Amino acid sequence: MEHEEGSAAWATPYRDVRTAGRSAVAGLLLAGAAWVARGVWETRLALAGEPASGPPDQGDGVHRPLTALEDSYHLVTSLGGAAALVCAVLFLSWVVRLRDNARVLSGRAPKYAGLWVYAGWIVPVVNLWFPRGIVADAFRGSAPERRLPASVNVWWGLWVLGMLSGVGIVYKDSTDEIIARAYTGVWPLLASDAAVVGAAVAGAVAVRAVTAVQVARMREAAGPRVPQPV
């Protein structure tokens, strides 16, 4: 199936990667803002100090009533989870279009099967490099003579740091366990939050850079019919 690039009225073999890229950038920045909010609330918890009644999860299935601040942190983390889901959908939509265009530009199939666009984020071990590899492969298929933007490596390095911390954008601890950690040692939590925020910002820069290169190559390949990017 042929797709229209941007608002062009004629058909081209390329998919609209610019709009998808703008949406992915917005999603990444939204997720970054959500993790800034988490860091602010974790700092507030640390400054308030643990109540005399102890942590929320008191063991053996016993949970004490939450304080107002703890309850608001639950809300912040829930909103952050929603922001992360929106970010994931928008980012993957961009990656799919990026791969499709790279296939047309290079005339070859992508290095990674389409299943890995989604499964590569959740399958243990391979999730340490497959998602970056998929983006890098699409970039090289679009512009083999160009160097991969440094922002791609920065994005992925910070993402992995946040993921390995256990409290990154896909965290293992329950919210009550994170609250307890904020009371006893907030700095590792804030370092993880900083890695996620940095990954979001670097990811937004990477999406813009990779998209710009691919759009330029599509214009070159298709000739004057493809409109200039705005």
Side-chain angles (χ1 to χ4, degrees):
M1 176 182 292
E2 292 185 333
H3 302 266
E4 291 186 354
E5 170 62 22
S7 59
W10 48 83
T12 79
Y14 306 115
R15 303 190 66 179
D16 182 6
V17 72
R18 288 183 298 172
T19 301
R22 294 188 190 104
S23 297
V25 167
L28 284 161
L29 296 180
L30 176 64
W35 255 252
V36 169
R38 282 178 61 118
V40 170
W41 254 256
E42 286 158 4
T43 301
R44 292 180 62 195
L45 288 165
L47 292 175
E50 187 174 80
S53 54
D57 185 352
Q58 309 211 323
D60 298 324
V62 177
H63 289 73
R64 63 163 172 78
L66 297 176
T67 67
L69 181 57
E70 291 168 348
D71 199 40
S72 65
Y73 182 71
H74 272 264
L75 176 60
V76 167
T77 57
S78 295
L79 292 175
L85 178 60
V86 170
C87 175
V89 171
L90 296 176
F91 186 84
L92 291 176
S93 177
W94 172 74
V95 170
V96 168
R97 286 164 172 76
L98 189 77
R99 278 166 46 91
D100 287 349
N101 291 340
R103 182 187 294 111
V104 175
L105 288 166
S106 65
R108 64 170 177 81
K111 179 179 178 180
Y112 299 87
L115 170 67
W116 292 114
V117 173
Y118 308 99
W121 295 88
I122 57 177
V123 175
V125 183
V126 301
N127 63 354
L128 295 176
W129 76 87
F130 268 34
R132 177 205 171 274
I134 289 168
V135 173
D137 180 61
F139 178 85
R140 295 184 183 111
S142 303
E145 77 289 354
R146 298 280 296 271
R147 292 188 62 179
L148 184 70
S151 53
V152 174
N153 292 324
V154 174
W155 155 66
W156 189 246
L158 291 171
W159 167 269
V160 171
L161 282 176
M163 180 174 62
L164 294 179
S165 72
V167 288
I169 204 163
V170 180
Y171 51 92
K172 301 175 183 177
D173 291 348
S174 70
T175 304
D176 284 346
E177 289 172 331
I178 295 175
I179 289 172
R181 290 177 62 178
Y183 287 139
T184 58
V186 74
W187 292 109
L189 294 178
L190 296 180
S192 178
D193 294 336
V196 172
V197 173
V201 174
V205 174
V207 168
R208 285 177 59 87
V210 172
T211 300
V213 169
Q214 186 173 85
V215 169
R217 289 307 302 269
M218 289 190 296
R219 294 201 340 258
E220 293 172 5
R225 295 179 306 162
V226 177
Q228 296 284 336
V230 295

